[in-house]
Amino acid sequence: MAKIEAHEFSKGIIKACSESRIVKSWDVKIYEHAVAKIRVFLVDKSFLEVYYNSETSKISFAWIRNNKRIYGADNLGYWHLHPIDNPEEHIKSRKMSFKRFLLNVEKYFKSKS
């Protein structure tokens, strides 16, 4: 991914959230044009945490329920997943977009309903 400012990165997150049936609302915080911290509130009272830093190229996505990460993806060192069945595990993966991450969360929602 080419480096983009935090504001531009956030616009993509908001677009994906606005198209999702499981997203209730979101809160975006931008720091120094380089860092975005976004909390996406879901209909089941869980939430997604999104972190982006254009200066370090760090990106992380986490699904949080009851104050615990239950699923995640980030590029700390290399792209990897923290799978739903064992969120402490690191499974090497290809680069993940927020849209793909959100689609994975939506699939889990559908499988539980």
Side-chain angles (χ1 to χ4, degrees):
M1 170 184 278
K3 287 188 179 185
I4 58 173
E5 285 195 1
H7 177 75
E8 285 301 311
F9 178 84
S10 298
K11 284 172 36 176
I13 304 298
I14 292 167
K15 182 176 182 335
C17 289
S18 67
E19 296 169 351
S20 174
R21 292 183 177 174
I22 67 168
V23 172
K24 186 175 179 182
S25 63
W26 54 84
D27 181 47
V28 178
K29 293 187 177 19
I30 307 289
Y31 302 93
E32 302 290 327
H33 302 288
V35 174
K37 292 182 179 180
I38 305 164
R39 184 167 282 187
V40 178
F41 301 94
L42 304 181
V43 295
D44 72 343
K45 300 198 185 331
S46 64
F47 60 91
L48 308 179
E49 285 282 348
V50 178
Y51 176 83
Y52 173 75
N53 185 322
S54 66
E55 292 175 355
T56 64
S57 299
K58 172 137 175 50
I59 301 171
S60 65
F61 311 123
W63 183 12
I64 310 293
R65 181 180 288 143
N66 298 326
N67 294 317
K68 289 181 150 184
R69 178 182 60 205
I70 61 170
Y71 173 59
D74 64 70
N75 69 345
L76 183 59
Y78 57 93
W79 272 101
H80 60 275
L81 297 176
H82 301 275
I84 279 187
D85 57 341
N86 184 5
E88 298 306 314
E89 187 176 5
H90 291 74
I91 298 175
K92 196 169 186 174
S93 72
R94 297 189 314 200
K95 185 186 308 186
M96 177 156 317
S97 68
F98 176 75
K99 186 170 186 160
R100 170 57 48 205
F101 183 80
L102 182 56
L103 286 171
N104 290 344
V105 172
E106 288 173 346
K107 284 179 191 174
Y108 184 77
F109 259 74
K110 286 180 185 176
S111 73
K112 291 298 179 186
S113 53

